[in-house]
Amino acid sequence: MEYLRGNVHKTPVITSQTTNEKTGKNVYMKLENHQKTGAFKYRGASYKLSKLTPAQLEAGVVTASAGNHAQGVALAAKKLNATATIFMPEGTPSAKVEATKGYGAAVKLVGASFQEAFTASLEHKKLTGATYVHPFDDYDIMAGQGSIGIEMLEEIPELDTIIVPIGGGGLISGIAVAAKMIKPSIKIIGVQAANAPSMFKSYYTKDDHVVLNSCSTIAEGIAVKQPGELTQQAVRQYVDEIYCVSESQIAYAMVYLLERTKSLVEGAGATALAALLAFNDKIDSEHTGVIVSGGNLDLSKMGEIQALALQANHKTITREQITVL
């Protein structure tokens, strides 16, 4: 982890008197939207690449991503003078393509969907011998993300709960393992979008083969149809509870963070706070950590998000409602 201390930002933790009064808790928000590349993903990518041999770095790295992982891998590779090749679907917004290129990666636009880009990236790996950097289902990736939990407990040792967004599960797996090694009594609560509840279903049904038919959500950073094989085992072992939040609850949290903390946050980054606001009465905590995982938001969608936020009713979504979806 020493490599990370010198290469990633120790992101700020902020409090909000309004949020404390609203919840009756001491709430500490870890702002990973202030991380390099605007999201936590740079931590895992940096740690993963730091573990590669000189020969592996010489052969380069490859991944498929249309989001924050792409930029994290690109910058991590640039820092180590390694070649990064990122496969993205043809419809990826040009801003994300240009940002990834800006960090020095070669971007290949392939296919109409992520699956086609993913397949092409595996073919590239076979042809070139490049190391594949998975966005979540990798122990080094998880360990890198776990540095967030270490930083939080170093700064706020009295934390009794940390609420974490879940997509594929790399972030929460890393934080849960690291935090519980330091403080075994701490509770780790995961959050998914109700429209993309793959890990939620895996966790409560113990089904190792959950694959969603669709997962359309404004929290596109956690829209994952199938949990990782490694991450779902870690989540079952170390995570205490998982909640789901609605689209309007996520939008409300995004607007709330902008208004109350002046933080611009993407949908995935707002889900942990959305869960705290929606499930506050069920969360038995005095000192509550909230992971704000990223801030790479398409500003053209802000009007749509504001309109959606007005529909938020903060009714909790039950486990039964999700498992029948």
Side-chain angles (χ1 to χ4, degrees):
M1 287 297 156
E2 284 309 308
Y3 177 81
L4 287 188
R5 288 186 189 275
N7 283 280
V8 305
H9 291 322
K10 183 179 179 183
T11 49
V13 175
I14 63 166
T15 59
S16 155
Q17 188 63 36
T18 303
T19 308
N20 291 352
E21 290 172 1
K22 195 179 183 78
T23 60
K25 298 171 172 59
N26 296 299
V27 179
Y28 307 88
M29 289 177 267
K30 178 73 163 164
L31 299 185
E32 283 294 296
N33 55 321
H34 287 226
Q35 188 52 261
K36 292 176 183 179
T37 73
F40 75 94
K41 291 281 191 179
Y42 178 65
R43 292 177 183 263
S46 290
Y47 188 67
K48 172 67 177 176
L49 268 63
S50 77
K51 307 295 278 185
L52 299 183
T53 66
Q56 287 174 314
L57 288 171
E58 179 70 25
V61 296
V62 61
T63 194
S65 170
N68 295 331
H69 178 63
Q71 294 172 54
V73 170
L75 181 58
K78 183 178 182 181
K79 295 271 187 185
L80 292 167
N81 297 313
T83 300
T85 305
I86 315 291
F87 285 79
M88 295 176 152
E90 290 169 356
T92 301
S94 60
K96 289 187 176 181
V97 174
E98 292 308 313
T100 305
K101 286 180 179 176
Y103 289 122
V107 174
K108 308 283 189 186
L109 298 176
V110 178
S113 71
F114 172 79
Q115 194 57 45
E116 289 167 278
F118 176 66
T119 301
S121 71
L122 294 180
E123 189 62 30
H124 178 88
K125 175 185 182 299
K126 279 185 199 171
L127 290 172
T128 63
T131 296
Y132 197 86
V133 184
H134 197 282
F136 50 83
D137 211 28
D138 179 296
Y139 288 126
D140 289 331
I141 292 287
M142 295 181 221
Q145 322 303 23
S147 60
I148 296 171
I150 296 169
E151 286 179 13
M152 288 196 82
L153 282 169
E154 284 176 348
E155 191 168 340
I156 314 133
E158 63 270 28
L159 277 180
D160 57 52
T161 303
I162 304 177
I163 307 175
V164 189
I166 304 177
L171 176 62
I172 196 168
S173 295
I175 288 175
V177 171
K180 291 199 174 190
M181 281 182 67
I182 297 168
K183 189 173 184 177
S185 64
I186 199 164
K187 282 192 297 187
I188 306 295
I189 296 174
V191 188
Q192 290 210 287
N195 284 6
S198 55
M199 188 68 81
F200 181 96
K201 289 188 173 187
S202 165
Y203 184 82
Y204 286 112
T205 65
K206 302 294 189 288
D207 182 352
D208 292 338
H209 307 290
V210 170
V211 183
L212 303 179
N213 292 323
S214 64
C215 54
S216 177
T217 169
I218 59 168
E220 76 284 345
I222 55 171
V224 175
K225 289 184 178 181
Q226 184 173 12
E229 290 180 20
L230 303 178
T231 56
Q232 67 184 344
Q233 299 309 319
V235 167
R236 287 177 195 168
Q237 187 171 351
Y238 294 102
V239 172
D240 297 280
E241 188 101 51
I242 301 178
Y243 294 124
C244 284
V245 287
S246 69
E247 296 295 284
S248 60
Q249 287 166 346
I250 296 168
Y252 178 86
M254 293 170 74
V255 172
Y256 181 94
L257 282 163
L258 188 57
E259 290 179 343
R260 298 295 177 180
T261 71
K262 310 310 172 196
S263 294
L264 183 68
V265 175
E266 63 189 87
T271 53
L273 180 64
L276 176 61
L277 297 177
F279 293 91
N280 183 49
D281 292 345
K282 296 178 189 243
I283 298 172
D284 182 15
S285 170
E286 188 177 347
H287 298 281
T288 313
V290 170
I291 307 298
V292 178
S293 58
N296 292 321
L297 175 67
D298 180 351
L299 289 175
S300 68
K301 295 186 175 176
M302 208 56 221
E304 174 190 331
I305 289 160
Q306 286 178 299
L308 192 55
L310 295 173
Q311 300 171 26
N313 57 26
H314 302 298
K315 287 181 182 175
T316 56
I317 298 171
T318 67
R319 192 178 305 174
E320 290 72 27
Q321 285 174 298
I322 294 295
T323 52
V324 298
L325 289 177

